[in-house]
Amino acid sequence: VLILAKEHPRADCRGYLREHILIAERVLGRPLKDDECVHHLDTNPANNNPGNLVICPDQAYHMLLHQRTRALHASGNANYRKCKICKKYDDPDNMVLRKGSRSYLHKSCWAERARIQRIAKNADNGSL
């Protein structure tokens, strides 16, 4: 929902601002800081009830809330992570975290992918 607020520092070039920002600022009693953003608990951007809004200190925290919400809805446990290969949620203790990445993988999925890649590489080289 967009509200005409030409004087607001976060207004777009046409002078409009998202309603949830105005509501969050009204509840806080101050403008949002540059890094702060607003999260909708029920993931419905049209539900701007103050009880449905969470002020996040930065975008990284906002994305963490979305990640945990997806895990909770998919598996019943907000701490679970999604395997990058099989797309199933599981306890991170049952998975490996890839170096240089934030991707979780089941060891068995990782081993199977490596096996398939070896077969494909050997096929490309003309040997099996």
Side-chain angles (χ1 to χ4, degrees):
V1 178
L2 294 175
I3 304 291
L4 187 60
K6 291 182 179 182
E7 301 304 317
H8 196 283
R10 288 188 180 221
D12 66 15
C13 61
R14 297 174 301 148
Y16 285 93
L17 179 70
R18 295 183 185 270
E19 181 184 43
H20 63 273
I21 293 172
L22 286 174
I23 292 169
E25 290 180 339
R26 192 176 314 130
V27 170
L28 279 174
R30 64 166 177 82
L32 291 175
K33 296 175 186 169
D34 287 342
D35 290 345
E36 291 177 326
C37 56
V38 182
H39 173 73
H40 292 82
L41 282 173
D42 67 359
T43 67
N44 177 3
N47 181 0
N48 291 322
N49 180 317
N52 187 47
L53 303 178
V54 174
I55 311 314
C56 300
D58 55 33
Q59 189 64 21
Y61 185 79
H62 186 204
M63 292 298 98
L64 177 65
L65 291 179
H66 279 285
Q67 177 187 15
R68 290 177 57 82
T69 300
R70 284 190 301 271
L72 181 63
H73 287 261
S75 68
N77 188 324
N79 295 318
Y80 279 16
R81 295 293 173 257
K82 188 177 184 179
C83 175
K84 186 81 171 178
I85 298 172
C86 72
K87 311 296 186 208
K88 293 180 182 174
Y89 283 84
D90 198 357
D91 188 329
D93 291 341
N94 299 332
M95 306 170 89
V96 292
L97 181 61
R98 290 180 55 202
K99 290 182 181 177
S101 170
R102 287 181 280 179
S103 301
Y104 282 88
L105 304 167
H106 289 110
K107 290 177 186 176
S108 59
C109 293
W110 196 0
E112 179 63 15
R113 175 182 269 180
R115 187 185 73 78
I116 290 169
Q117 288 174 340
R118 275 193 310 277
I119 291 170
K121 183 179 178 184
N122 287 338
D124 287 344
N125 291 336
S127 64
L128 288 175

